[in-house]
Amino acid sequence: MRRAAHAGDRARWRSACAGAAGVSRRAVQLAFRRHRGTTPMAYLRRIRLARAHYDLVRADPRQETVSAIASRWGFASHSRFTARYHASYGMPPRETLHA
């Protein structure tokens, strides 16, 4: 399940969650909405974004790039990652990397 979540493979992650819980994919989605107030994919995206932020804060800008870190956490589109990161953290990821 962790491998599917890290790779950003939506269908595999949903199926793994449902299988681990012994319920349907729809039941997982309803439970997430009820208990977390969000969808499973939005929750996963938040976790991946937080981990990318953690890596950006600790990275050496001479050794790492924003694109490499975003890709590591399953963000295929650099521009979407940057927009989501900026909306969540109030600054572009490159500023975090170079802070």
Side-chain angles (χ1 to χ4, degrees):
M1 192 160 72
R2 199 174 279 173
R3 184 185 339 242
H6 184 69
D9 184 341
R10 293 178 181 192
R12 192 167 64 191
W13 188 75
R14 285 186 212 142
S15 294
C17 285
V23 299
S24 70
R25 288 176 20 182
R26 180 72 177 143
V28 171
Q29 185 167 4
L30 292 172
F32 260 83
R33 282 204 185 275
R34 188 173 336 122
H35 297 287
R36 296 278 184 189
T38 190
T39 65
M41 291 314 299
Y43 179 75
L44 177 59
R45 190 178 305 113
R46 244 189 355 253
I47 289 170
R48 290 173 31 233
L49 194 59
R51 292 185 178 170
H53 173 72
Y54 180 88
D55 285 357
L56 285 165
V57 167
R58 285 154 184 75
D60 178 351
R62 295 169 297 182
Q63 304 283 328
E64 293 269 19
T65 65
V66 171
S67 292
I69 292 170
S71 180
R72 180 182 316 144
W73 288 106
F75 293 96
S77 168
H78 180 78
S79 59
R80 284 190 199 149
F81 170 74
T82 298
R84 285 188 175 129
Y85 187 92
H86 193 279
S88 295
Y89 294 99
M91 68 175 64
R94 67 178 151 63
E95 285 186 24
T96 302
L97 179 61
H98 293 281

